Amino acid sequence: MVTRSAVLLVLGRVLVKAFLIALAVVVIYPLVWMLLNGVKSNSELFSNPFALPVAWKWDNYVTAWNRGVGDYLTTSVLVTVASTIATVFISAWAAYGLTRVNIPFNRVVLILILGGLMLAPTVALIPLVKMFQSLGLYNNLWALLILYTAFRVPFTTFLIRAYMMDLPAEVDEAASVDGASKARAFWQVILPMCKPILVSTVLLNILFTWNEYLFAMVFTSWGALQTLPVGLTNLMSKHGTDYPVVFAGMAIAAIPVIVLFFAGQRYFIRGLADGVGK
Amino acid sequence: MTVSDTAWKPAAPPPASVSPKSPKNRAAKSARTRRWRNIVWVLPAVLLLGVFAYLPLVQNLGFSFLKWDIYSGRQTFVGADNYVRMFNDPIFWKSLLNNTLYAIISIAFQVFGAMILAAMIEGLRSQRWRGILRAVYFVPSAISLTVAGLLFYFIYEPEMGILNAALDFLGLGNFTQAWLGQENTAIFAIIAMSQWQGFGYCTLLFSVALQRIPSELYEAASIDGVGPFQRFFSISLPLVREMTGLMMIVTVSGAFQVFNEVMVMTSGGPNNSSQVLGTWLYRSGFVRNDFGYAAAVATAVFIITLILAAIQLRISKKRRVQW
Amino acid sequence: MRKSTQSLMALLAGAAMALSACADGGSQPAAALDPNAEPQYTGTLSILTKFGGDPLEPYFEDLAAEYKKLHPEVSFELIQETDQSIKDKTKTLTASQAMPDIYFTWAGSWANNFIDGGLAADLTPVIAPGTEWGNNFGESALKAFAKDGKYFAVPLYNNGKFMGYNQRIFKELGLTPPSTFDELISSCSVLKGAGYEPISFGNKDGWPGLHYLQQLFAYEVPAETLQSDFSPATAKLEDKGYLKAMDQFTTLVNECTGSGKDSNGVLYTTAQQALAEGKSGMYYQEILEFDSTASADSKLKQDGLGIFKLPAAADANGDPQAIEGSPEGYIINARSKNAALAADFMKFATNSQNAAKLSAPPYGQPSAVKGAVSTENSSGPVIEGIKQVNEASAAITWLDSVTVPAVADAWLAGGEALVAGTQTPDQVLASVRAASSAAK
């Protein structure tokens, strides 16, 4: 015998699932559209936006690559890798210093570093233009490297510090009994134990750096030195009427991080969850 | 150009402990010295932040009292003039309003919408579907706001865009318009894109929070014959309250720092209708040559984020989470 | 209480200023370029161009490659921006004091900023009319970048704004280029009736609208008033002609464009494409765009691109013979260590061979060098355009470079509001007036 509430429950389940799947389609369709437009011709693009490409013009991707997207990609990879490494190491040192080493003004330093969490990059923009001009770091990847690292250290330190605080104190004691210095304890004991949170912070920093726009736009300008987000807007303004190539460029920019996300999904989720407080 | 990795190694590894042979009366001093040497651990972070985040903050305050001619480099002290102009500038207030709209709509969709969505997903029985849906919803968050902005620029485009085409197809042809080209729709079109881009991220977070609720609670509830709605309101909601509070703060402070998508999609136009504080700051400085004024807008952004941070701090303190 | 707040603020400001180290040299007039200086053919020349994107990008690349053949020790750093992106980029580079050795400039307030800021080398000894190099250029082109009798830029090409039309479509419908504004509007309804978009118009970036407005202002506002209104110090912005011109603009947007009030959502390149593909009858464009709109493989090339000056109203109060457009040039950075080399390169860029190349398709930029635009190398529309520019009573510089940025930006916003129909001409003029008086 089936009660009314049980029927409602099943019906509700079906409806919920249908809704979720419909939403998934709506969410994913723009991306599919982007990929498809990348292999269309310009006139196909304007004739029926929903149609599948007639002849798959994969050479749009080649064209986009040759029109600078290849260079932008290289720059983006370079900046992302370098600033991620720098950020994670500097933050891990700081987190270690804050949690397991007796440093003077511990509390001041803590507030100083974590206070950086609330600094919006736009606030620093105008003075930074002037500062980098006097440092001679205009249109130089070092400018991006320094800025990305500086503005990501607070958040990364915040995450790693929280993780380190949960590591038992006995770990250090054991290391110091062995006569290991603080530095050795850090490299050989603590850092390996922090691996999960390190992977999460690496992924979060990649996500940030790969997509950063404001600093990249203001502090670089020579063609090949541009990162993908800036390069793409340039591609759009320089080859405005060749829209399929612009779509192809967008796809090239989007795919690496999407792939990375699916590869490291587990860490991503943990990183994101930790990111908003444990 | 190549960047050598070695440059990013620490300036010097923290020194090993000082030789214990020193006389006892110097032991205290050497302990203090050692303590000071430990500063090496935090020095890179402190220096980077000090020079490239805090110093500019102070300098910005200085610039906001200046008229700065970028061509001659001449700077003149003008007192509070830039602030007076800012308070009388309708576009500044329009920008602030747009940021506020951004915040309110994002709270509705990216906090409460995402929370309900997460509850729906976690209510599914199939582990596989839960994983797939979470992942699919997250994908837009993995693409950059620039790509998302450009993509939606084309989606909204009157000639080739799919939004108008879809409306036509659904028989809603009356609603078709240049979404980014109309003063009353531009900012909403941008905000809508931002919801598409960001809601999956928030859904994922709520999913994680919901998973952390001990399953015994639900089991107990189902024995008591509690329905799904009641379950959501009486168990899930209270237990993810912390997460909700934090997400609201993160969302709101994000909403006041918006720049990228507006820049890509409309540059604040048409007729400055979609201007936000970030783009108005940029436009004042880099288009209108008014760097002093831009610095004043930056100060306003700073004060707003400071207030939000203070609220965040209060909430965190309540939760006994130590900073 | 108030006093203490004030003194606190002054203290804060003082401290902050001390930290921001505002010791700057200030501007001095740039020293004149020594005409006898022998260039050292070594080092790197950096150049900011406005030739980014197809089909213009190869022009400077080729120039650089050829110059390198002559002087292998010289290398180049090209920053090629587009019409849209060069504005912000120039400001960023200026604020960063990172302007290259040679950089693009429009005439008007845009160039004057560099001249007054001491960023433009005084080229008078080498390029003034009467000098060997200067004699190669039309005098009006040189004068577009002159201030107080000194010459500050190398004019590269002339420019002017014209309505480009599809000759086949016009012929089919029995239309001829209109001679009054009303005729233009009535030809739009003919085109519309035949299923064409009369004028394609994309105002996403705002400046395409400004181009219409400035040409109409030149027709409707007496020349002297117009000129004095460009400068905030003397601006009154009260002439009735502004309102009439803005009314004409809104009429044109509503009656003639396919996108109408939605035009703010359309890219200018999309509008250009519409003419190129034979979908629209007309598209308002610069001489610079002629050869890229009617590119070799376009439908427009087969149909034929014709041009005419935007027609003035029969009762225009300004100067109906004026044309919008002005030469565009390149400044040599006064702070450049390679100034002599930079000048030598610009001489190379403006020799008769390179000038002819610039004036021919696919570039189609009518060189400011005398005799470079000829039937042998330039396309018909480009020759016709230059002829009309030379015949015009006056050349009116673009609204967004002739006046100060804050006023230009107010016009830009106002133009968008007129397109969308959200503000009346009166309201737009009032907001521009406010911006102008704030910029005094």
Side-chain angles (χ1 to χ4, degrees):
Chain A
M1 202 170 130
V2 192
T3 66
R4 221 180 110 226
S5 71
V7 172
L8 274 178
L9 206 64
V10 172
L11 193 69
R13 278 226 173 85
V14 171
L15 279 176
V16 164
K17 196 160 176 179
F19 169 75
L20 290 176
I21 291 172
L23 186 65
V25 172
V26 171
V27 165
I28 221 70
Y29 184 73
L31 293 167
V32 176
W33 187 66
M34 171 177 87
L35 293 174
L36 287 178
N37 282 351
V39 290
K40 283 184 180 175
S41 72
N42 222 350
S43 55
E44 280 178 70
L45 213 60
F46 281 92
S47 55
N48 178 1
F50 293 111
L52 285 175
V54 179
W56 295 63
K57 292 185 57 164
W58 290 104
D59 51 336
N60 286 339
Y61 280 79
V62 179
T63 312
W65 183 271
N66 291 334
R67 281 194 183 157
V69 175
D71 289 336
Y72 308 146
L73 191 82
T74 315
T75 308
S76 270
V77 169
L78 198 68
V79 174
T80 304
V81 168
S83 74
T84 302
I85 291 173
T87 306
V88 171
F89 275 111
I90 291 174
S91 305
W93 288 322
Y96 186 77
L98 288 170
T99 53
R100 315 184 98 75
V101 180
N102 180 12
I103 55 166
F105 300 117
N106 190 316
R107 186 132 188 97
V108 176
V109 171
L110 181 69
I111 290 172
L112 197 70
I113 295 180
L114 297 190
L117 276 170
M118 68 188 189
L119 297 183
T122 38
V123 177
L125 184 69
I126 306 288
L128 283 172
V129 168
K130 211 167 158 54
M131 185 189 289
F132 279 76
Q133 163 241 311
S134 51
L135 292 174
L137 283 181
Y138 183 73
N139 198 43
N140 187 311
L141 292 188
W142 285 101
L144 294 189
L145 227 58
I146 291 171
L147 289 176
Y148 291 167
T149 308
F151 278 88
R152 287 303 287 182
V153 157
F155 184 59
T156 314
T157 307
F158 169 69
L159 293 184
I160 301 178
R161 176 177 164 272
Y163 195 89
M164 280 185 182
M165 286 200 307
D166 288 349
L167 295 180
E170 295 86 58
V171 180
D172 307 66
E173 281 156 21
S176 66
V177 165
D178 292 345
S181 67
K182 285 281 180 198
R184 270 181 59 198
F186 171 74
W187 287 107
Q188 297 180 349
V189 183
I190 303 293
L191 206 57
M193 290 179 79
C194 289
K195 200 179 141 203
I197 191 70
L198 292 182
V199 176
S200 301
T201 55
V202 163
L203 289 171
L204 284 171
N205 277 309
I206 290 174
L207 195 63
F208 167 82
T209 313
W210 192 261
N211 298 334
E212 203 281 337
Y213 184 67
L214 176 68
F215 285 152
M217 183 175 79
V218 173
F219 292 101
T220 60
S221 71
W222 275 234
L225 275 180
Q226 290 168 342
T227 59
L228 270 169
V230 180
L232 276 181
T233 50
N234 259 355
L235 187 73
M236 168 103 165
S237 79
K238 285 191 176 184
H239 306 281
T241 48
D242 212 347
Y243 298 113
V245 173
V246 177
F247 278 106
M250 283 155 63
I252 294 174
I255 288 167
V257 183
I258 295 180
V259 169
L260 194 71
F261 163 67
F262 277 104
Q265 199 179 356
R266 206 149 35 98
Y267 290 104
F268 242 113
I269 293 174
R270 190 213 313 254
L272 293 177
D274 289 345
V276 196
K278 297 167 63 117
Chain B
M1 127 158 212
T2 58
V3 178
S4 78
D5 279 341
T6 51
W8 290 107
K9 292 257 167 66
S17 44
V18 182
S19 146
K21 282 173 197 161
S22 42
K24 263 200 171 171
N25 59 345
R26 295 175 67 188
K29 199 185 167 194
S30 97
R32 224 178 311 147
T33 323
R34 207 158 52 216
R35 188 164 174 243
W36 271 103
R37 283 194 192 166
N38 285 338
I39 205 92
V40 169
W41 286 103
V42 291
L43 206 58
V46 170
L47 278 182
L48 262 179
L49 275 165
V51 176
F52 298 106
Y54 285 104
L55 180 60
L57 191 71
V58 180
Q59 288 180 322
N60 183 73
L61 194 65
F63 285 150
S64 69
F65 295 104
L66 301 177
K67 186 175 163 59
W68 174 15
D69 176 11
I70 56 163
Y71 296 94
S72 62
R74 206 183 295 119
Q75 297 176 329
T76 338
F77 182 75
V78 293
D81 192 37
N82 290 322
Y83 290 96
V84 173
R85 278 167 55 211
M86 185 170 84
F87 286 118
N88 291 317
D89 176 7
I91 305 172
F92 169 77
W93 294 108
K94 176 84 195 166
S95 307
L96 193 62
L97 175 72
N98 281 341
N99 282 113
T100 312
L101 278 175
Y102 225 107
I104 293 171
I105 296 176
S106 297
I107 285 180
F109 283 92
Q110 298 195 20
V111 179
F112 291 103
M115 182 163 61
I116 294 167
L117 207 60
M120 283 177 168
I121 293 175
E122 295 312 312
L124 292 179
R125 285 195 204 149
S126 154
Q127 165 84 36
R128 221 176 100 229
W129 272 107
R130 287 204 297 262
I132 290 173
L133 287 170
R134 277 198 304 255
V136 167
Y137 294 160
F138 181 81
V139 171
S141 297
I143 74 169
S144 70
L145 275 166
T146 311
V147 172
L150 282 176
L151 177 59
F152 272 70
Y153 171 76
F154 287 114
I155 286 175
Y156 292 135
E157 219 274 346
E159 303 270 325
M160 68 177 113
I162 43 175
L163 181 57
N164 281 348
L167 287 174
D168 271 333
F169 180 76
L170 296 172
L172 298 169
N174 289 339
F175 291 95
T176 61
Q177 55 184 306
W179 298 93
L180 293 173
Q182 290 294 350
E183 290 180 29
N184 50 358
T185 53
I187 189 68
F188 294 102
I190 296 171
I191 295 175
M193 183 285 293
S194 162
Q195 306 311 311
W196 171 83
Q197 206 262 350
F199 86 98
Y201 185 104
C202 304
T203 307
L204 200 59
L205 289 173
F206 276 114
S207 286
V208 174
L210 287 171
Q211 283 164 14
R212 288 183 182 169
I213 297 174
S215 55
E216 295 86 46
L217 284 178
Y218 288 123
E219 279 156 21
S222 76
I223 290 169
D224 293 347
V226 173
F229 284 103
Q230 254 177 304
R231 201 173 62 191
F232 176 73
F233 284 108
S234 58
I235 302 176
S236 311
L237 200 55
L239 288 169
V240 295
R241 195 189 278 154
E242 266 181 19
M243 180 65 101
T244 314
L246 268 162
M247 296 275 296
M248 279 171 76
I249 293 296
V250 171
T251 309
V252 171
S253 65
F256 280 94
Q257 297 182 26
V258 168
F259 175 79
N260 197 343
E261 55 268 49
V262 179
M263 201 64 198
V264 171
M265 293 170 82
T266 64
S267 319
N271 191 17
N272 294 315
S273 60
S274 62
Q275 214 67 257
V276 289
L277 290 173
T279 53
W280 185 232
L281 183 164
Y282 179 83
R283 194 170 186 86
S284 299
F286 293 92
V287 177
R288 301 169 67 116
N289 294 1
D290 207 345
F291 280 79
Y293 184 78
V297 178
T299 307
V301 174
F302 173 68
I303 290 169
I304 292 166
T305 44
L306 195 70
I307 293 169
L308 293 172
I311 299 171
Q312 181 169 14
L313 202 62
R314 265 187 83 102
I315 296 176
S316 312
K317 276 224 175 101
K318 266 191 199 148
R319 301 188 309 129
R320 289 171 291 113
V321 168
Q322 215 193 343
W323 257 54
Chain C
M1 177 69 203
R2 226 184 120 185
K3 211 171 167 192
S4 68
T5 325
Q6 266 180 359
S7 56
L8 179 72
M9 214 147 87
L11 193 73
L12 262 175
M17 277 204 316
L19 276 162
S20 52
C22 60
D24 264 299
S27 61
Q28 300 117 2
L33 198 75
D34 179 0
N36 299 316
E38 264 302 305
Q40 298 288 312
Y41 292 108
T42 55
T44 303
L45 271 184
S46 51
I47 310 175
L48 173 67
T49 85
K50 204 195 72 171
F51 279 5
D54 287 336
L56 301 173
E57 200 150 285
Y59 183 72
F60 270 92
E61 286 169 2
D62 292 353
L63 275 185
E66 281 165 36
Y67 193 79
K68 236 173 118 79
K69 271 187 214 149
L70 299 172
H71 307 291
E73 306 272 286
V74 180
S75 56
F76 287 89
E77 200 162 43
L78 295 179
I79 316 159
Q80 308 233 55
E81 296 289 332
T82 62
D83 221 329
Q84 180 60 24
S85 65
I86 196 161
K87 292 169 192 155
D88 299 21
K89 189 51 77 184
T90 304
K91 306 280 172 55
T92 317
L93 289 167
T94 308
S96 309
Q97 295 185 18
M99 282 304 264
D101 300 314
I102 302 171
Y103 54 91
F104 168 84
T105 185
W106 281 284
S109 153
W110 188 272
N112 289 343
N113 277 327
F114 297 113
I115 297 170
D116 296 342
L119 292 169
D122 177 3
L123 303 178
T124 313
V126 288
I127 211 171
T131 61
E132 192 193 335
W133 190 19
N135 280 339
N136 296 342
F137 298 96
E139 202 169 319
S140 62
L142 288 171
K143 285 210 167 123
F145 302 102
K147 205 181 176 206
D148 304 330
K150 292 177 179 171
Y151 295 81
F152 289 95
V154 183
L156 198 66
Y157 46 83
N158 285 308
N159 201 0
K161 193 93 180 178
F162 290 92
M163 191 61 89
Y165 68 94
N166 184 312
Q167 288 179 324
R168 178 186 58 81
I169 297 176
F170 264 51
K171 206 173 159 192
E172 263 175 28
L173 303 175
L175 291 169
T176 50
S179 54
T180 65
F181 187 78
D182 290 338
E183 274 179 50
L184 174 69
I185 302 298
S186 54
S187 63
C188 288
S189 55
V190 177
L191 282 157
K192 218 183 252 173
Y196 294 105
E197 180 178 13
I199 299 177
S200 48
F201 177 50
N203 198 40
K204 194 220 168 198
D205 297 321
W207 54 260
L210 282 191
H211 286 183
Y212 277 104
L213 285 173
Q214 180 74 327
Q215 179 69 74
L216 294 169
F217 291 162
Y219 292 158
E220 296 295 343
V221 179
E224 250 172 66
T225 315
L226 190 65
Q227 288 300 332
S228 79
D229 281 351
F230 289 146
S231 162
T234 52
K236 290 201 179 68
L237 293 159
E238 281 165 347
D239 197 273
K240 289 268 180 287
Y242 288 110
L243 303 177
K244 195 175 155 205
M246 284 190 264
D247 277 330
Q248 290 169 347
F249 175 59
T250 36
T251 307
L252 184 139
V253 170
N254 292 328
E255 303 291 321
C256 291
T257 67
S259 41
K261 291 189 193 309
D262 281 349
S263 301
N264 288 329
V266 181
L267 281 169
Y268 82 97
T269 45
T270 309
Q272 194 187 46
Q273 183 95 339
L275 182 72
E277 289 175 355
K279 287 181 188 161
S280 70
M282 293 176 267
Y283 164 66
Y284 196 41
Q285 58 195 308
E286 298 166 40
I287 296 180
L288 313 183
E289 292 172 81
F290 291 170
D291 286 357
S292 39
T293 313
S295 62
D297 53 353
S298 68
K299 182 129 196 321
L300 182 64
K301 182 83 184 168
Q302 299 165 18
D303 291 354
L305 169 67
I307 61 162
F308 58 87
K309 205 158 73 89
L310 189 72
D315 58 344
N317 292 322
D319 178 359
Q321 304 303 321
I323 190 154
E324 183 180 21
S326 66
E328 297 181 357
Y330 283 76
I331 288 177
I332 292 173
N333 193 337
R335 295 178 188 167
S336 165
K337 294 186 193 90
N338 302 320
L341 182 66
D344 189 69
F345 174 77
M346 287 313 293
K347 276 182 193 163
F348 174 76
T350 52
N351 70 22
S352 56
Q353 193 192 342
N354 285 324
K357 186 180 166 192
L358 183 66
S359 313
Y363 305 120
Q365 315 284 307
S367 171
V369 172
K370 285 185 218 160
V373 179
S374 70
T375 42
E376 283 157 44
N377 55 35
S378 303
S379 66
V382 170
I383 293 170
E384 175 62 24
I386 283 301
K387 189 171 144 254
Q388 292 199 28
V389 167
N390 291 334
E391 285 166 358
S393 59
I396 307 294
T397 306
W398 315 115
L399 191 47
D400 50 354
S401 58
V402 72
T403 180
V404 300
V407 176
D409 203 42
W411 275 123
L412 191 100
E416 289 171 343
L418 289 174
V419 169
T422 49
Q423 278 183 13
T424 64
D426 270 316
Q427 289 169 319
V428 171
L429 193 59
S431 72
V432 173
R433 223 169 9 228
S436 181
S437 70
K440 239 172 217 157

